[in-house]
Amino acid sequence: MYFNYLHLREIVYKWIFNILAFASLLFLFGITIILFKEGLPLFKEVSAVKFIFGTSWYPTHEHPEYGILPLILASLLVTAGALFFCIPLGVGSALYIHELAGFKQRAFLKPLIEILAAIPSIVYGFFGMVVVAPFLQRVLNLPVGLTAFTGSLILGVMATPTVCSIAEDALSFVPKSFREASYAVGANRWQTLTKVVLPAAGSGISTGIILGMSRAVGETMTVLMVTGGAAVIPRSIFEPVRPMTSTIAAEMGEAVMGSIHYHALFAIGLILFLFTLVFNIIAEIISRRFRLKLGLGR
Amino acid sequence: MDINQIKIKVEGVNFYYGSKQALRDIALDIYKNKVTAIIGPSGCGKSTFIRLFNRMNDLIPGARFEGKILIDGNNIYDPKLDVVDLRRSVGMVFQKPNPFPKSIYENVAYGLSINGIRDKGYIADKVDKSLKDAALYSEVKNRLSDNALALSGGQQQRLCIARALAVEPEVLLMDEPASALDPTATLKIEELIHELKKKYTIIIVTHNMQQAARISDYTAFFMMGELIEYDITSKIFTKPSKKITEDYITGRFG
Ligand SMILES: Nc1ncnc2c1ncn2[C@@H]1O[C@H](COP(=O)(O)OP(=O)(O)O)[C@@H](O)[C@H]1O
Ligand SMILES: [Mg+2]
């Protein structure tokens, strides 16, 4: 009797979890289908080559043009710029927390970083628009403060907690025995860090960087608020740009449903989706190799 | 009569983890080119004791050492002493094989390169020689660039021994080096220890009474942080002078 009850409970639990797992798969599947269904019709009107390599984006013009190269380049530029900030900041702070911070500092810093990661992006965007952009404009003597550089800076700071948190995990996954082995043959702390710990944690750290990067590529609110919004091919990092995400966010409201413009925005979404998919697959491959390398996968 | 030349002298050693005392007033002499086994129930301070000789315990926050350890007459706890030099002359092999996730070659070469040796030919010779001394060479000579983690547990442990030997230590510390290995691999390590004592002074912690009896010349029996008895191994295992030692080696507790 008692046994049957337990058995029943187990079956019910199993089904609940099956359904939940299945539901998220279903959502992902649904989103992908809709992206394709709404994005693909564009290519009846505009060739894929013209869409991706076209240099002018005038969707509401009398003779509309749908070239998204400026948007793709803007996304790549802003993302690369963000990496420039978040790699040293994120990896540096992970190293600090892991190697130098005492027990008490660590107990305080780790949760703080996680809170930083949870701040809504609009707060970063607002801060960037109201404080950082005017400041940069004044200090660097620019015609406008809302530029690719401002976007990179804010996105870089935003992605730092992600990078730091994953990099710190990677460092703490390096078994203590590796360090001991290194010290035991006479290595000092610096040699142990650079020759043993960092190489062993390397792919874990790269995973963190790639995930930080896919956060930056997909970020919408912040870039919309701080990058200025000019859909031209950027010639310098100190000019306003218009990344893919902010284009979708800014124009979806005004695009007539079913119009070419509407389908073009979905097609941009499709491209973005492919970008982040590739990033995440790379991150997954690297982290799997990392587990193998540390002998955790066997 | 230099059969019993003293290599290490331990005098009045106390060791604390924070406020907890892990070793109590230890004194003993360790003889050159002999194998000294450290036995005792788990938690009695064997690892703590053996890690004093290469100052591995220095890395533990809040740990405190009192007393003197002299190697060839030099106090290794002298504040002026260079810990790097000490660790090069006192090698260590750990309980669980811990090769780096690098190639077999790089593992053995590691100690040389971090000690500033750049001569590639010298390093290559030294790697070969260390692998031979660790009785691993014939098994890996054709795949020195393979990842060390692809080796079996027993091979990994012999690789760790080779890594320790490469920097030419005089003393070799081994903390239960065979406890994670199968009987065949264990036997290989034991044979190896027998070879190695011709060149090195070996201190080995072991959980296994038969192993201590088989491989060691001297045996120290620890309990609850104290050295209960220290003598020639055959004496400890045939007519120990303390009742409690006899109880332990005959398996009445442990
Ligand atoms: N890093 C540490 N911090 C605090 N206590 C420790 C630490 N390492 C060992 N101890 C304690 O010291 C005692 C001796 O430990 P250890 O030397 O590892 O014993 P054994 O190797 O004989 O099993 C044990 O009571 C253990 O709990
Ligand atoms: Mg131990």
Side-chain angles (χ1 to χ4, degrees):
Chain A
M1 190 52 205
Y2 184 62
F3 172 79
N4 277 342
Y5 166 71
L6 272 184
H7 192 64
L8 183 72
R9 203 167 65 169
E10 207 161 281
I11 289 177
V12 171
Y13 276 143
K14 204 175 141 196
W15 270 102
I16 289 177
F17 284 113
N18 273 349
I19 290 169
L20 287 178
F22 192 66
S24 56
L25 207 70
L26 208 67
F27 287 136
L28 180 66
F29 200 60
I31 289 171
T32 318
I33 297 251
I34 296 209
L35 266 181
F36 276 93
K37 185 172 158 288
E38 299 290 341
L40 288 182
L42 172 79
F43 300 114
K44 276 185 286 187
E45 310 288 336
V46 184
S47 79
V49 173
K50 253 198 155 160
F51 178 64
I52 294 174
F53 295 103
T55 54
S56 24
W57 175 253
Y58 296 123
T60 52
H61 198 265
E62 206 180 327
H63 305 287
E65 288 193 59
Y66 300 98
I68 63 163
L69 192 61
L71 316 184
I72 294 179
L73 289 180
S75 282
L76 293 180
L77 180 65
V78 171
T79 304
L83 286 182
F84 181 79
F85 292 109
C86 76
I87 291 176
L89 281 174
V91 176
S93 50
L95 281 176
Y96 178 83
I97 291 179
H98 199 261
E99 290 292 320
L100 299 173
F103 182 71
K104 278 186 196 147
Q105 264 185 354
R106 190 176 320 177
F108 168 75
L109 284 173
K110 265 285 262 194
L112 189 78
I113 300 262
E114 258 128 50
I115 291 174
L116 223 59
I119 294 177
S121 60
I122 192 144
V123 176
Y124 281 99
F126 192 65
F127 176 74
M129 193 165 80
V130 174
V131 180
V132 180
F135 173 78
L136 287 176
Q137 187 180 2
R138 202 154 18 86
V139 172
L140 300 174
N141 202 9
L142 300 170
V144 282
L146 301 174
T147 63
F149 180 79
T150 318
S152 297
L153 179 61
I154 303 288
L155 281 184
V157 171
M158 263 179 82
T160 296
T162 310
V163 176
C164 171
S165 190
I166 296 174
E168 209 273 333
D169 286 345
L171 287 171
S172 60
F173 272 134
V174 176
K176 200 175 107 218
S177 63
F178 288 178
R179 286 165 200 273
E180 286 190 329
S182 172
Y183 287 124
V185 288
N188 59 30
R189 211 165 152 185
W190 174 249
Q191 291 168 324
T192 302
L193 182 66
T194 54
K195 300 219 158 119
V196 175
V197 178
L198 277 180
S203 23
I205 293 174
S206 342
T207 307
I209 291 171
I210 291 172
L211 291 181
M213 190 154 110
S214 67
R215 185 171 181 197
V217 175
E219 176 49 43
T220 306
M221 251 9 257
T222 317
V223 280
L224 183 63
M225 291 167 84
V226 300
T227 55
V232 290
I233 296 209
R235 256 167 291 119
S236 130
I237 196 161
F238 296 108
E239 282 175 17
V241 293
R242 189 182 185 96
M244 292 187 276
T245 47
S246 48
T247 308
I248 300 177
E251 297 175 15
M252 205 36 135
E254 61 191 55
V256 179
M257 208 171 151
S259 66
I260 301 182
H261 188 193
Y262 173 87
H263 290 307
L265 293 180
F266 268 99
I268 295 178
L270 203 57
I271 302 280
L272 255 178
F273 177 75
L274 295 179
F275 265 81
T276 41
L277 191 69
V278 168
F279 286 159
N280 282 288
I281 288 174
I282 293 174
E284 182 59 33
I285 291 172
I286 294 180
S287 81
R288 196 165 291 173
R289 187 174 304 163
F290 173 61
R291 282 196 293 274
L292 277 184
K293 201 162 118 186
L294 294 187
L296 306 173
R298 281 190 295 154
Chain B
M1 272 291 280
D2 64 352
I3 339 168
N4 278 354
Q5 205 180 330
I6 294 173
K7 178 76 183 170
I8 307 177
K9 237 178 153 42
V10 177
E11 292 174 357
V13 163
N14 290 295
F15 191 85
Y16 309 81
Y17 290 110
S19 57
K20 183 177 180 287
Q21 185 160 9
L23 292 174
R24 242 172 249 281
D25 201 24
I26 312 288
L28 54 75
D29 292 340
I30 286 170
Y31 298 100
K32 192 170 175 177
N33 296 100
K34 300 286 173 207
V35 177
T36 303
I38 314 289
I39 62 170
S42 96
C44 70
K46 303 182 295 295
S47 296
T48 306
F49 180 65
I50 197 174
R51 291 161 67 98
L52 292 176
F53 297 102
N54 61 347
R55 294 188 45 178
M56 217 54 184
N57 290 330
D58 287 15
L59 305 171
I60 297 166
R64 191 158 55 84
F65 172 88
E66 283 170 8
K68 252 190 196 169
I69 295 182
L70 308 170
I71 297 185
D72 294 329
N74 304 313
N75 184 6
I76 62 167
Y77 280 85
D78 185 331
K80 289 197 291 287
L81 175 118
D82 183 359
V83 182
V84 167
D85 283 344
L86 172 70
R87 291 195 182 135
R88 215 177 313 154
S89 62
V90 182
M92 182 156 200
V93 177
F94 298 82
Q95 187 165 359
K96 239 185 98 206
N98 58 353
F100 300 126
K102 299 173 183 283
S103 73
I104 294 171
Y105 185 92
E106 287 171 310
N107 263 280
V108 186
Y110 181 77
L112 300 169
S113 66
I114 56 133
N115 282 305
I117 295 170
R118 293 281 163 269
D119 182 345
K120 290 233 173 65
Y122 176 83
I123 293 180
D125 288 347
K126 200 77 211 168
V127 168
D128 281 4
K129 177 149 192 320
S130 307
L131 285 170
K132 279 175 189 152
D133 286 351
L136 185 61
Y137 187 72
S138 60
E139 291 159 59
V140 300
K141 64 176 181 235
N142 296 322
R143 46 175 179 146
L144 291 177
S145 54
D146 283 9
N147 193 313
L149 296 179
L151 297 174
S152 74
Q155 290 172 326
Q156 288 189 9
Q157 194 62 302
R158 276 177 283 143
L159 179 65
C160 293
I161 293 174
R163 179 175 63 192
L165 297 183
V167 292
E168 302 185 337
E170 293 163 15
V171 179
L172 202 55
L173 310 171
M174 302 179 136
D175 191 350
E176 305 195 34
S179 67
L181 306 181
D182 61 54
T184 321
T186 301
L187 195 67
K188 277 219 169 95
I189 299 274
E190 289 183 9
E191 284 167 0
L192 177 58
I193 289 170
H194 197 74
E195 264 325 290
L196 290 174
K197 82 172 182 184
K198 290 173 191 159
K199 281 200 244 169
Y200 307 92
T201 302
I202 296 174
I203 307 175
I204 178 170
V205 171
T206 173
H207 218 83
N208 178 330
M209 234 53 61
Q210 287 77 28
Q211 186 172 64
R214 274 196 302 269
I215 62 175
S216 71
D217 304 297
Y218 289 82
T219 297
F221 171 52
F222 279 69
M223 226 177 85
M224 286 159 61
E226 289 184 54
L227 176 60
I228 305 295
E229 192 167 348
Y230 177 52
D231 214 323
I232 298 172
T233 297
S234 57
K235 175 127 188 301
I236 293 271
F237 282 92
T238 51
K239 34 182 186 316
S241 55
K242 300 233 169 75
K243 172 88 170 51
I244 190 159
T245 313
E246 184 173 351
D247 286 351
Y248 182 72
I249 58 164
T250 53
R252 236 157 278 178
F253 70 94

